[in-house]
Amino acid sequence: MGKPWATFGIDLHLDRSGPGLRRSLTGALRDAVRSGRLAPGTRLPSSRSLAADLGVARNTVAEVYADLVAEGWLAARQGSGTRVADRTPATPGHRPAPHRREPARPAYDLVPGTPELASFPRAQWLKAARRALTAAPDQALGYGDPRGRVELRTALAGYLSRARGVHADPDRIVVCAGFLGGLGVLAELLRRRGAGSVAVESYGLPHHRRLLGRAGCDTPPLPFDDRGTRPLDDPAAARAVLLTPSHQFPMGLPLLPERRTALIDWARRTGGLILEDDYDGEFRYDRQPVGAIQGLDPDRVVYLGTASKSLAPALRLGWLVLPPALVEDAMDGMAGRTPGVLDQLTLAEFLGSGDYDRHVRAARLRYRRRRDALVAALAERAPEVRVTGIAAGLHAVLQLPPGTEQQVVRAAAWHGLAVHGLSMFRHPDAAVAPLDALVVGYGTPPDHAWAGALDALCRALP
């Protein structure tokens, strides 16, 4: 039986002997909350004050607080200390009132999928906009071609051929409102052609599956193993496949050469269609970027690209490079979905001037340095956490000890981090064992905040 220890108005029953102090303090505080002796909303002393009161190390109290926050007994917000969490008990016939207090805004955003917005090339973009608007013919301000402005389609054809190995003719390019805009057009096109199933990756973005589902397409998962995505085991299981072969999101593996070949063979044998999301295709750090699959068979692959990661998501500028047989069908679905003409003309000028290439080179160097810093920090401060995947893109997967993902996500929130666990990206029907991991987007924080974000992340990890 532990000794009663009076502090901040209540008795804590602690075992002060040996290494069990942390466990004893955790249990005592948990019991005090459960019994109601510590009421919801009660502010606890700072870790320094309680440590001095109990005569223990401050780190012990800080670790106990973090454990109880992760378990949901306590709540911590920057600037307001640590408090007992609101816990409304449910009784038969009674539904708890909704919790209306807004959560604290995270100090650091490590959610994947967004570039560093502070590095958007405002001055160069403004100059390109002025040149583009000055040179634009009057008819450019009319309704125009549903495929998008010819100036942008021509500039994209040259860039994609040179940088990504894409066979791109301006007449086969359709400009769309970002990746989701393009995927929406394709989903409707596939529905009209009777494609009942579009296979997707075992790990991927849930809203892509939902968009395809709303268009009436089933989304069976593609097989997946420790070497990445595999082609369909049953060639007749789907009429189309959607995948990220350059840098699979979120697992971070490229599609192996022999699997690229097998995928093309499947499309040719079955008349299937490959939807290639060139996710992070421009951001490879350990070698030259691998070319797009589309170059292997332009008649069986639809290439989807976007400026969301290279420039900014708010531009809503994306593009489809289509097989000739699909161009007319795609144009039928473009009514009201083409981005603004001025932004199209500006991007065309930005590409043609070389400013886009210079911006991507600078971004590639910046993100490579961040990834290197992340790997080095984890090796020093969290050696049990392993970074998986190739050196590419704007995110990394941190493999965690089994059974710890949700605890680490909660601990990260307590340390002011917005970060996602890998489980949220797993297809519900995927035939792969769940893996505990974090998907850390290192592209989002501005340069001045990266060191603080990295420190907070290391403190949240096992």
Side-chain angles (χ1 to χ4, degrees), residues 90-96:
T91 57
H94 170 73
R95 298 185 65 181

Side-chain angles (χ1 to χ4, degrees), residues 327-353:
V327 174
E328 188 171 343
D329 272 358
M331 288 170 60
D332 289 342
M334 288 304 299
R337 290 179 165 178
T338 305
V341 165
L342 296 182
D343 284 336
Q344 290 187 54
L345 292 173
T346 300
L347 181 57
E349 176 66 27
F350 203 68
L351 284 162
S353 68

